[in-house]
Amino acid sequence: MDELTDASPDTPVAARERPSSLEKALDVCESLAAAPRGLSVTDLARLLRQPPPTVHRLLRVLKRRGFVRQDE
């Protein structure tokens, strides 16, 4: 791998502008890191401008992998 790029020149504009699942997951982690008291799924979805089911799915994976924890 010689160099990293966001997208090749042949990638459609719509595909380049859509964040990947990895980017969305990192956005979740960064947002939670900036909120010491935590955030609800609804608040996190609103902050990230993502649908709540998407945020819930990301949180489920991040929790299973030990990157986030859920307060009961």
Side-chain angles (χ1 to χ4, degrees):
M1 190 185 293
D2 293 333
E3 62 183 75
L4 298 174
T5 60
D6 289 340
S8 73
D10 298 329
T11 303
V13 172
R16 287 191 304 234
E17 293 176 358
R18 189 174 344 134
S20 69
S21 294
L22 176 58
E23 289 174 308
K24 291 176 187 176
L26 290 172
D27 288 343
V28 167
C29 291
E30 290 172 349
S31 296
L32 289 173
R37 302 184 89 203
L39 293 166
S40 69
V41 173
T42 302
D43 290 339
L44 191 53
R46 188 177 302 118
L47 178 68
L48 297 173
R49 296 183 178 150
Q50 293 291 328
T54 298
V55 173
H56 186 267
R57 186 185 81 247
L58 292 166
L59 286 168
R60 189 175 58 234
V61 172
L62 290 168
K63 180 181 173 186
R64 186 176 73 236
R65 301 293 298 263
F67 288 95
V68 300
R69 70 172 189 266
Q70 181 179 9
D71 291 340
E72 298 303 325

